Amino acid sequence: MELTELHQIAEHERAQQKPVRIRCCAAAGCVSSGSLAVKQAFDRAIAEQGLSDRVQACSVGCLRLCCAGPLVQMDPSLELYEEVTPEQVPSLVASLLPAAAPPLSAPGASPGIPSAKRGDPQAPFFTRQMPIVLENSGIIEPERIESYIAAGGYRALHHAIREMSPAQVVECITRSGLRGRGGGGYPTGVKWSLVAKMPGQRKFIVCNADEGDPGAFMDRSVLESDPHRVLEGMAIAACAVGATQGYIYVRGEYPLAIHRLEVAIKQAKKLGLLGAGIFDSPLNFRIDLRIGAGAFVCGEETALIESIEGRRGMPQVRPPYPAEKGLWDCPTLINNVETFANIAPIINKGAEWFAGIGTAKSKGTKVFALAGKIRHTGLVEVPMGMTLNAIVEELGGGAPNGGTIKAVQTGGPSGGCIPASLLDTPVDYESLQALGSIMGSGGMIVMDQTTNMVEVAKFFMEFCMDESCGKCIPCRAGTVQMYRLLSRIVAGDASPAEVKQLEMLCDMVKHTSLCGLGQSAPNPVLSTLRYFRPEYDRALKNGRIALPLR
Amino acid sequence: MPENHPSGDKRFKLLDAAMKKHQFQADALLEVLHTAQELFGFLNADLLIYVARHLKLPPSRVYGVATFYHFFTFTPKGRHSCNVCLGTACYVKGAASVQTALERELGIKAGQTRSDGLASVSIARCLGACGLAPAVVFDGNVAGNLTPEAAVEHVKGWVPHGAN
């Protein structure tokens, strides 16, 4: 494969494209609401109405407004249609015909079917986003590598291999200021340079796609919408640190993402973009999938390594860090899906461009999965530094049915609940941490006045209790005790002394657990205690005479 | 290489092929267990011992790994199944009451299969279908924006009424 061949594929693909493209969302959310039948209906209607030479229907990735699926967007007019049913399709296709033929008299259209609901592509939900990671999402066809190449794909990999030295690639990522998108926020360039400096021929790249936080679906969407982007990022990383084997550890609950990755890897191999001698260079890099089996703790990097090696996903003591001793004791670079998806644009547009977006310490954009009590549920990608208020009120449209937003939960079971009064906080790693929450991987759950915050704390504690791997005692026993105390508080059986005991336990588990799961398990409790103390107090006052602890 | 399974069940042939693909490497244990569950629907002691022998692993290791991960199940699924999402978005939107309604209708608790084998109820951590919250997978099809009543409507006819 040479650059000219890449250009040829891109040109050929563009020449094949019809003037009008009907983009049907084929990400998991819309598929669940029946988008595959809609796509088939478009194919049929286009053929029946004799428009095959001018119009084509494509299965694209996530169109982001997941609550209104199945979504369909016309290209180039960008008209957006929501909750499309197969019955509405013939008249939608007919509306693409010249005005001479009014939609309802067109062949295939039947009267009595309400016309498709129009969405507003100029709504703040779309216009205030800044797509970098999601720039191809909803535009290209994820199951066709040609579509990705036509959108400029694999140029960055070529550039990194042919025009840059590995050290320059690492330096470029460092200068961009990119930080890990899995939640920790560790500078990506530093991690890369650590692995690059390690001696030895055998090194590994691991993509952490074990998106376990309930309420988070960013990584799933990226994998389903633009899988090649992640492969390209991993290959660039391999070139930079000198690795020859990569693994993507993906959740077993994401069958569609797994399927698209399998397809993408096969296609990339066939074109010589993965495998031996990439772009006819000495670089060999192969990627294999590893399917998770439903263990939240495997999102922790050392547990993930254990799991790839076919063992129970138990975290290990660090140091040594995986950069030094990871998979099979070899230097291993582990990054999150979204981190890898940021790599190609940084190589293409330069470190300075990326560093110009965001805040002083948090560069670039962040993808959030907006869900819960909010009008517009879906995916948003915004520059770092946008306030939480702007995200939930302007993009998200606020609480539905005249409700009021009470709190926003970020970071899943490891994060915290941020009260409505503090929503003018800008989104960056440090600010969220100062509020007792974390950036996390990007789940953002909105809660309204009907949500009981003590029950939310109990909900997350139950999750952590179930997901604790059992290796270290503070987490294994502590989460059980905290859950028991929270249950008693919710039931109105607890005394004030038990709330005190809960606080002490939180402190102990936070400071003595082995891995991030235990260390962050108390966060939902601590943040609700900090901001919603009256709810705990009310639960006590209403309680019966408190029983002593057994 | 150990012998074929004495039962002559053809599914073991497919399992053998999966293990061979991974060259009987111990680190492929999770992949092999995934395949085994796909083929048989659930894992039992016989299957685990068979896998252990072929991958040259102590049965305790295979059992330990299989029981660590939530995805692996040791009971057969019912003829019909529903998987209730209890992710945060679904929880905030009332998934707990949907779960209770389904459990009452089918006469079993989450994680159980009815003794007559007609239905089972399970819990999902998060289906990633947060835009459709609360969501339930009924026999492989996702249904969203459910109320307890709408959820019960989906399982009507799964079990004889008044049973349990």
Side-chain angles (χ1 to χ4, degrees):
Chain A
M1 173 64 77
E2 284 291 331
L3 191 60
T4 47
E5 285 174 70
L6 214 55
H7 284 302
Q8 275 166 12
I9 293 172
E11 259 164 49
H12 184 254
E13 173 70 12
R14 279 192 288 265
Q16 294 283 308
Q17 280 175 5
K18 308 280 158 59
V20 176
R21 294 172 81 232
I22 300 171
R23 308 199 299 229
C24 307
C25 180
C30 281
V31 168
S32 301
S33 7
S35 74
L36 296 182
V38 171
K39 159 79 167 59
Q40 282 165 2
F42 270 113
D43 286 336
R44 261 197 317 276
I46 291 168
E48 278 169 13
Q49 300 184 26
L51 293 171
S52 305
D53 55 332
R54 280 183 292 150
V55 182
Q56 68 183 135
C58 325
S59 293
V60 298
C62 184
L63 284 166
R64 293 173 216 174
L65 192 59
C66 303
C67 58
L71 291 164
V72 171
Q73 188 161 34
M74 303 297 175
D75 180 10
S77 74
L78 298 186
E79 282 161 14
L80 184 72
Y81 294 94
E82 301 176 348
E83 294 164 26
V84 180
T85 60
E87 293 75 32
Q88 294 168 341
V89 164
S91 64
L92 269 179
V93 172
S95 72
L96 297 167
L97 289 167
L104 277 180
S105 65
S110 37
I113 293 164
S115 53
K117 198 172 142 198
R118 284 290 279 272
D120 179 11
Q122 294 308 316
F125 181 84
F126 297 106
T127 54
R128 295 215 53 189
Q129 296 204 31
M130 186 192 235
I132 294 175
V133 168
L134 300 177
E135 64 184 345
N136 292 332
S137 173
I139 295 172
I140 66 161
E141 295 165 79
E143 297 198 21
R144 294 184 57 245
I145 191 170
E146 299 84 2
S147 186
Y148 179 66
I149 292 174
Y154 288 108
R155 307 272 160 82
L157 178 60
H158 183 271
H159 189 76
I161 292 177
R162 289 295 187 81
E163 325 259 325
M164 295 167 90
S165 68
Q168 280 174 325
V169 176
V170 173
E171 205 255 338
C172 175
I173 299 302
T174 310
R175 265 191 301 128
S176 75
L178 176 65
R179 294 169 66 176
R181 295 294 192 247
Y186 192 78
T188 307
V190 175
K191 214 182 215 179
W192 285 30
S193 68
L194 282 175
V195 180
K197 274 185 216 142
M198 291 302 294
Q201 290 300 304
R202 210 165 159 233
K203 295 180 187 176
F204 294 98
I205 307 280
V206 174
C207 174
N208 185 348
D210 190 44
E211 185 174 52
D213 287 8
F217 52 94
M218 309 73 50
D219 294 349
R220 192 210 71 206
S221 255
V222 172
L223 295 173
E224 286 172 357
S225 306
D226 202 1
H228 285 287
R229 175 65 87 79
V230 179
L231 303 185
E232 186 176 4
M234 289 177 73
I236 294 170
C239 149
V241 306
T244 53
Q245 170 75 49
Y247 290 101
I248 304 178
Y249 188 89
V250 51
R251 267 186 104 195
E253 288 88 339
Y254 289 170
L256 189 60
I258 293 169
H259 168 71
R260 297 221 166 125
L261 281 170
E262 282 169 348
V263 170
I265 291 172
K266 210 169 176 183
Q267 292 171 340
K269 262 193 210 158
K270 205 170 163 195
L271 289 184
L273 298 165
L274 282 180
I278 297 174
F279 281 116
D280 296 320
S281 74
L283 178 69
N284 302 326
F285 185 57
R286 153 187 185 102
I287 297 180
D288 286 310
L289 291 186
R290 283 288 179 268
I291 314 298
F296 176 65
V297 71
C298 288
E300 202 278 342
E301 55 183 16
T302 56
L304 189 150
I305 287 172
E306 289 292 301
S307 186
I308 291 181
E309 293 181 7
R311 284 194 291 272
R312 291 163 72 99
M314 302 268 220
Q316 304 297 307
V317 178
R318 295 182 303 184
Y321 286 87
E324 200 180 322
K325 266 186 165 193
L327 265 178
W328 293 288
D329 287 339
C330 299
T332 303
L333 174 72
I334 303 186
N335 278 140
N336 165 269
V337 171
E338 197 183 328
T339 313
F340 280 124
N342 269 303
I343 300 302
I346 293 175
I347 299 292
N348 277 330
K349 298 182 188 167
E352 287 67 31
W353 162 79
F354 193 82
I357 304 164
T359 66
K361 283 184 171 175
S362 304
K363 302 296 186 190
T365 58
K366 179 80 195 83
V367 183
F368 289 102
L370 267 183
K373 296 288 182 71
I374 188 151
R375 276 178 58 206
H376 305 144
T377 309
L379 273 194
V380 295
E381 181 173 3
V382 295
M384 295 274 192
M386 186 182 265
T387 63
L388 284 164
N389 220 357
I391 297 175
V392 296
E393 290 291 349
E394 292 176 38
L395 281 83
N401 313 324
T404 46
I405 291 178
K406 182 175 179 180
V408 171
Q409 210 278 344
T410 66
S414 315
C417 296
I418 300 164
S421 56
L422 293 176
L423 291 186
D424 52 358
T425 308
V427 166
D428 63 62
Y429 292 96
E430 280 74 23
S431 303
L432 290 179
Q433 212 159 11
L435 294 181
S437 187
I438 57 166
M439 173 81 81
S441 55
M444 198 177 269
I445 311 282
V446 180
M447 295 163 185
D448 69 359
Q449 77 285 351
T450 61
T451 315
N452 177 330
M453 302 313 283
V454 188
E455 283 184 17
V456 168
K458 182 185 154 199
F459 167 80
F460 281 119
M461 193 52 71
E462 185 177 10
F463 182 90
C464 290
M465 176 177 76
D466 283 349
E467 294 297 337
S468 172
C469 77
K471 179 165 176 161
C472 73
I473 295 169
C475 175
R476 180 179 68 214
T479 51
V480 175
Q481 293 307 324
M482 288 193 284
Y483 175 72
R484 214 170 69 90
L485 286 168
L486 284 164
S487 302
R488 285 174 53 81
I489 295 171
V490 168
D493 289 340
S495 68
E498 290 178 80
V499 177
K500 199 148 254 158
Q501 191 176 19
L502 178 65
E503 286 183 284
M504 276 167 53
L505 265 172
C506 281
D507 187 63
M508 190 271 287
V509 173
K510 192 182 171 93
H511 290 104
T512 55
S513 292
L514 171 63
C515 82
L517 193 157
Q519 288 161 9
S520 62
N523 282 350
V525 183
L526 288 170
S527 66
T528 47
L529 272 169
R530 180 167 161 191
Y531 299 118
F532 301 97
R533 186 76 188 213
E535 291 194 31
Y536 282 85
D537 291 341
R538 264 201 304 281
L540 296 181
K541 271 184 217 143
N542 297 339
R544 300 191 297 272
I545 298 167
L547 299 164
L549 267 181
R550 259 173 293 147
Chain B
M1 186 184 141
E3 295 156 24
N4 296 339
H5 195 267
S7 69
D9 189 329
K10 284 213 177 75
R11 291 175 292 185
F12 282 100
K13 280 234 159 75
L14 296 168
L15 185 58
D16 291 342
M19 290 191 281
K20 189 151 188 244
K21 187 179 146 203
H22 293 284
Q23 288 141 21
F24 300 96
Q25 290 286 316
D27 55 51
L29 178 56
L30 267 146
E31 267 62 44
V32 172
L33 291 176
H34 270 297
T35 311
Q37 181 155 308
E38 236 166 70
L39 290 168
F40 292 85
F42 68 105
L43 305 174
N44 60 21
D46 179 50
L47 251 177
L48 294 182
I49 290 168
Y50 186 76
V51 168
R53 197 167 295 156
H54 280 72
L55 299 185
K56 298 196 179 69
L57 285 170
S60 60
R61 159 96 183 268
V62 177
Y63 183 77
V65 168
T67 50
F68 182 83
Y69 295 95
H70 295 295
F71 191 82
F72 300 122
T73 168
F74 301 88
T75 45
K77 253 192 180 177
R79 187 186 301 167
H80 294 286
S81 66
C82 57
N83 193 5
V84 185
C85 180
L86 279 191
T88 320
C90 289
Y91 174 79
V92 169
K93 289 192 148 187
S97 57
V98 170
Q99 178 196 347
T100 317
L102 287 171
E103 286 176 342
R104 198 179 313 124
E105 179 69 17
L106 298 172
I108 38 172
K109 289 279 170 207
Q112 295 178 339
T113 300
R114 278 171 63 98
S115 52
D116 56 13
L118 286 177
S120 47
V121 179
S122 54
I123 298 292
R125 280 292 178 218
C126 181
L127 299 169
C130 308
L132 307 172
V136 178
V137 187
F138 296 102
D139 285 338
N141 299 313
V142 182
N145 298 316
L146 289 168
T147 58
E149 297 75 35
V152 167
E153 214 35 58
H154 277 272
V155 301
K156 276 272 182 293
W158 283 15
V159 294
H161 203 65
N164 266 24

